[in-house]
Amino acid sequence: MSNSKEVSKSTIERLPKYLRYLIEIDKMGAVDISSTTIAEHFNFNPIQVRKDIAQVSKKSGKPKTGFKVKELIKDIQNFLGYNNYSEAVIVGCGGLGKTLMAYSGFLSLGLKIVAAFDSNPALFGLEVNGLKIHSMEELDAVINKTSAKIGIITVPRESAQQVCDRLIECGIKGIWNFAPLHLVVPSDVAIRNEDMAASLAVLSYELAAKQKSD
Amino acid sequence: MSNSKEVSKSTIERLPKYLRYLIEIDKMGAVDISSTTIAEHFNFNPIQVRKDIAQVSKKSGKPKTGFKVKELIKDIQNFLGYNNYSEAVIVGCGGLGKTLMAYSGFLSLGLKIVAAFDSNPALFGLEVNGLKIHSMEELDAVINKTSAKIGIITVPRESAQQVCDRLIECGIKGIWNFAPLHLVVPSDVAIRNEDMAASLAVLSYELAAKQKSD
DNA sequence: GTTATATCGATATCAGTATATCGATATGCT
DNA sequence: AGCATATCGATATACTGATATCGATATAAC
Ligand SMILES: NC(=O)c1ccc[n+]([C@@H]2O[C@H](COP(=O)([O-])OP(=O)(O)OC[C@H]3O[C@@H](n4cnc5c(N)ncnc54)[C@H](O)[C@@H]3O)[C@@H](O)[C@H]2O)c1
Ligand SMILES: NC(=O)c1ccc[n+]([C@@H]2O[C@H](COP(=O)([O-])OP(=O)(O)OC[C@H]3O[C@@H](n4cnc5c(N)ncnc54)[C@H](O)[C@@H]3O)[C@@H](O)[C@H]2O)c1
């Protein structure tokens, strides 16, 4: 498929963490940073950090000092696409949907929510954070006025798969699902199931394991 | 540490997915279910499903028919601890905090939020979903009146590590962090960083990869 | 200027997870 | 009843990601 080397999911998940840390120490005046120091901060392995960096930055680090903070920041941001915005639409403007719409943090991640939809007529026309809520009938028309490729799903579990299918029909190519079910999509569509039950299960299991060992 | 065999994180993440599916088909009247059918539903590998099941259920499946749906449900629920509630407290009752407090879905995951805290005096005494918001001064006293072992963090990034440390001082043993930073905790504390930036990074990368290959 | 050392990058090894193979068997079908 | 077959569980293999090793080297310290 892709000609350049594949970057693993685990590496990609760590990159935003490095980035936040680098931005922080940059603000504090740091110029150089070593993989060792980054690793210590996160309790990671320095070799892992170095390998992650090597995959997204062509600049090579120097013995004894490491990497240039500002260069690393630029390279990671570039790799993650934080420079140019991706547009997204959101479907389901209930509790969670409205919260995400009001969240300012996505902008710095290169994500801009450009349209919102709901099936509840009571919400039509309402504005949240400057975003007007549209009816589901307008889905196709409104999406096609944007260049949105990402759809955020915050509808109840029962309607999530159906909403997902409709989004894909409208040309959406990436689904960020917050409903508690595992959505299935065609192979040309990217999907991320934000499964809080799975997350909590891991936390509870680890908690139980640690409690047991004393 | 633990005497029984360890169950991998990946397996634990899949179990809640299986469970939701099993409950659904149980409602639809299904009695038996094969690993093949489960796997097809999720686009997983049937051997993987069988191995996951083998780790949490002593009941063995039968050739040609598979497993008993109701038995599997019970075994998975039991393994995940959905039968007896874990208590949790939440710190940070802003947009996201209030949304989580109002969310009814946690109960079926065996999680019960029993207390809420914020540093903003304007919120003290306010009730969300029957939960009164306490001041941070009351943290220790209120937590110790409960049996909460889990702390949910929904404060701004800047105060998250400090809040985390205080929770641990109060006897909290598992941290569910929604603030955008990688919290570091002592080794006897379980931590789950719900990192939306990491999540979105993976989605964006996969989206870009799929767009490229056409 | 010389020396000691922290860090790098490349390569090798290790560990853990996912997948493949295969014999056994219970069930459904003729 | 007998046969074909879907599925199981156990074992073996393959794959992917994490960690260890090691020579090279730029820098800091003296
Ligand atoms: N609230 C949370 O903290 C939380 C946490 C984790 C997961 N979730 C999940 O996120 C989803 C939303 O949760 P919520 O608390 O905001 O629920 P909610 O009921 O407050 O909001 C759901 C919204 O979706 C709309 N909707 C329903 N069917 C629709 C359809 N077919 N098309 C378009 N819009 C439709 C409703 O009108 C409503 O506005 C749920 O699946 C929930 O399980 C929520
Ligand atoms: N809102 C979202 O959709 C969203 C999404 C992902 C991550 N997050 C993260 O979750 C956190 C909360 O987000 P939010 O939108 O609810 O923010 P918010 O500003 O609405 O709420 C934060 C709350 O924390 C309280 N607070 C601040 N400092 C505190 C302290 N030291 N002790 C106790 N309480 C304190 C504030 O009074 C406020 O009520 C943030 O870190 C945010 O980045 C939010």
Side-chain angles (χ1 to χ4, degrees):
Chain A
M1 320 252 138
S2 114
N3 44 348
S4 48
K5 79 271 150 174
E6 295 286 332
V7 178
S8 84
K9 199 184 107 166
S10 335
T11 293
I12 294 170
E13 285 180 337
R14 286 187 294 266
L15 289 172
K17 298 180 202 291
Y18 299 156
L19 182 57
R20 284 188 302 242
Y21 172 68
L22 291 168
I23 289 174
E24 193 172 288
I25 63 167
D26 177 55
K27 274 197 201 123
M28 291 166 60
V31 175
D32 298 295
I33 185 73
S34 72
S35 61
T36 318
T37 310
I38 298 177
E40 267 162 13
H41 181 258
F42 291 107
N43 266 317
F44 288 172
N45 182 303
I47 303 163
Q48 185 177 64
V49 174
R50 232 177 292 144
K51 282 193 135 190
D52 288 342
I53 290 174
Q55 291 183 76
V56 300
S57 174
K58 294 300 144 266
K59 322 273 166 44
S60 71
K62 278 189 197 160
K64 203 90 182 202
T65 54
F67 304 85
K68 292 289 166 196
V69 176
K70 283 192 197 301
E71 289 182 2
L72 264 194
I73 290 176
K74 234 185 267 174
D75 286 343
I76 297 179
Q77 283 179 333
N78 189 47
F79 178 87
L80 293 175
Y82 286 1
N83 306 316
N84 36 10
Y85 287 110
S86 295
E87 298 194 335
V89 301
I90 187 165
V91 183
C93 307
L96 184 58
K98 285 205 194 88
T99 300
L100 294 179
M101 286 166 78
Y103 186 50
S104 57
F106 291 136
L107 280 179
S108 66
L109 307 178
L111 189 79
K112 193 185 241 160
I113 303 179
V114 294
F117 303 89
D118 202 292
S119 62
N120 180 357
L123 297 174
F124 297 166
L126 207 106
E127 278 205 7
V128 178
N129 201 26
L131 275 177
K132 206 176 77 174
I133 299 175
H134 296 272
S135 79
M136 291 301 286
E137 280 70 41
E138 302 171 81
L139 196 68
D140 204 342
V142 173
I143 287 181
N144 282 302
K145 264 190 272 181
T146 73
S147 61
K149 285 281 163 291
I150 292 178
I152 304 173
I153 295 183
T154 46
V155 299
R157 172 180 159 74
E158 298 75 46
S159 18
Q161 184 69 59
Q162 175 215 325
V163 164
C164 175
D165 296 344
R166 282 202 60 195
L167 283 170
I168 292 169
E169 278 170 30
C170 296
I172 290 296
K173 293 292 182 190
I175 299 281
W176 200 5
N177 172 42
F178 289 83
L181 85 165
H182 184 93
L183 291 179
V184 177
V185 297
S187 67
D188 66 324
V189 175
I191 172 86
R192 181 84 189 176
N193 290 293
E194 208 66 37
D195 192 336
M196 295 213 187
S199 230
L200 179 60
V202 175
L203 178 62
S204 301
Y205 181 77
E206 283 178 8
L207 177 59
K210 283 177 199 283
Q211 298 270 290
K212 217 187 301 176
S213 67
D214 57 36
Chain B
M1 322 254 138
S2 116
N3 44 347
S4 48
K5 78 272 149 175
E6 294 286 331
V7 178
S8 84
K9 200 184 106 162
S10 336
T11 294
I12 294 170
E13 285 180 337
R14 285 187 294 267
L15 289 172
K17 298 180 202 290
Y18 300 155
L19 181 58
R20 285 188 301 241
Y21 172 69
L22 292 168
I23 289 175
E24 192 174 289
I25 63 167
D26 176 56
K27 275 197 201 122
M28 292 165 60
V31 175
D32 299 295
I33 186 71
S34 73
S35 61
T36 318
T37 310
I38 298 178
E40 266 162 14
H41 181 258
F42 292 107
N43 266 317
F44 289 170
N45 182 303
I47 303 164
Q48 185 176 63
V49 174
R50 232 178 291 144
K51 284 193 134 190
D52 287 342
I53 290 175
Q55 291 183 76
V56 299
S57 174
K58 293 301 144 267
K59 322 272 165 46
S60 71
K62 277 189 197 161
K64 203 90 182 202
T65 53
F67 305 83
K68 293 288 165 196
V69 176
K70 283 191 197 299
E71 289 181 0
L72 264 194
I73 290 177
K74 233 184 267 173
D75 288 341
I76 296 178
Q77 284 180 332
N78 188 49
F79 177 87
L80 293 176
Y82 286 1
N83 305 317
N84 36 10
Y85 288 110
S86 295
E87 298 194 336
V89 301
I90 187 166
V91 183
C93 308
L96 184 58
K98 287 205 193 88
T99 300
L100 294 179
M101 286 166 78
Y103 186 51
S104 58
F106 290 136
L107 280 179
S108 66
L109 307 177
L111 189 79
K112 192 185 242 160
I113 302 180
V114 294
F117 302 89
D118 202 291
S119 62
N120 182 356
L123 298 173
F124 298 165
L126 206 108
E127 279 206 5
V128 178
N129 201 25
L131 276 176
K132 206 177 76 175
I133 300 175
H134 294 274
S135 78
M136 292 301 285
E137 279 71 41
E138 303 173 79
L139 195 69
D140 203 343
V142 173
I143 288 181
N144 282 301
K145 264 190 271 182
T146 73
S147 62
K149 286 280 164 291
I150 292 177
I152 304 174
I153 296 183
T154 46
V155 299
R157 171 181 159 73
E158 298 75 45
S159 19
Q161 184 67 59
Q162 174 215 326
V163 164
C164 175
D165 297 344
R166 282 202 60 194
L167 282 169
I168 293 169
E169 277 170 30
C170 295
I172 291 297
K173 293 291 181 190
I175 299 282
W176 200 4
N177 172 42
F178 289 83
L181 84 167
H182 184 92
L183 290 180
V184 177
V185 297
S187 67
D188 66 323
V189 174
I191 172 86
R192 182 83 189 176
N193 290 294
E194 207 66 38
D195 192 336
M196 295 214 187
S199 230
L200 179 60
V202 175
L203 178 62
S204 301
Y205 181 76
E206 283 177 8
L207 176 59
K210 283 176 199 286
Q211 298 271 289
K212 217 187 303 176
S213 66
D214 57 34

